[in-house]
Amino acid sequence: MKPIRRITPLLLLAAALLGAAPAAPRPVEAPVPHAAWSWPLEPRPAVAHPFDPPERPWLSGHRGVDLAASAGTTVGAPAPGTVVFVGWVVDRPVVTIDHGDGLRSSFEPVDSPLAVGVEVEKEAPLGTLGSADAGHCAPAACLHWGVRRGDEYVDPLQFIEDRRPSVLLPWAGPP
């Protein structure tokens, strides 16, 4: 812990009499925010099922979001990163990207031609959404998108940069 440096009026007076200016306190560097992510599907998809984590890590819950889409839809990288997994988990194809800063995102069911170690740019195609029977939204198709920070699942939507402009709607006044 750094000591607190105070510049008191007495110290300023002493510095002025001696002809020296006291050193200004160094600014505290703010952490660089993680760049905003884009939606992994275009156009912007409807959220079929929101993030709903369990109260305890070992309990059941929904550790990601489900985005409505049709089978065969192209799935893009929401942020740059490195492909760290492409393969099957239980009964569906999964792609996982390491975005750095402890963040990893996974997408399922996604049929992908990519190999582990491939660097992807933001919005680069990862593959295509698999059939409805390969996902947990059956009979409808959806993309399950999960994000982990270390071992903790977090809401993927918190990273999205919403590109729609703000619009003021007419107000009819109080009811």
Side-chain angles (χ1 to χ4, degrees), residues 19-57:
R26 290 194 296 174
V28 177
E29 291 184 31
V32 177
H34 199 276
W37 292 11
S38 61
W39 289 95
L41 300 172
E42 288 292 331
R44 178 185 172 171
V47 176
H49 192 235
F51 182 70
D52 185 20
E55 289 184 27
R56 303 274 186 236

Side-chain angles (χ1 to χ4, degrees), residues 35-39 76-81 99 120-125 159 161 163:
W37 292 11
S38 61
W39 289 95
H99 301 286
V120 294
E121 296 297 320
K122 182 177 180 178
E123 300 178 356
F159 300 102
E161 174 186 63
R163 296 183 185 152

Side-chain angles (χ1 to χ4, degrees), residues 35-134:
W37 292 11
S38 61
W39 289 95
L41 300 172
E42 288 292 331
R44 178 185 172 171
V47 176
H49 192 235
F51 182 70
D52 185 20
E55 289 184 27
R56 303 274 186 236
W58 59 86
L59 296 174
S60 64
H62 196 243
R63 294 169 173 85
V65 295
D66 292 334
L67 304 176
S70 300
T73 300
T74 299
V75 177
T82 304
V83 176
V84 293
F85 180 82
V86 178
W88 287 78
V89 175
V90 185
D91 62 347
R92 56 191 155 263
V94 177
V95 177
T96 302
I97 301 173
D98 185 336
H99 301 286
D101 298 330
L103 293 170
R104 286 187 174 200
S105 57
S106 293
F107 306 90
E108 59 182 79
V110 175
D111 298 313
S112 178
L114 301 177
V116 170
V118 170
E119 300 284 326
V120 294
E121 296 297 320
K122 182 177 180 178
E123 300 178 356
L126 300 177
T128 56
L129 184 61
S131 66
D133 59 337

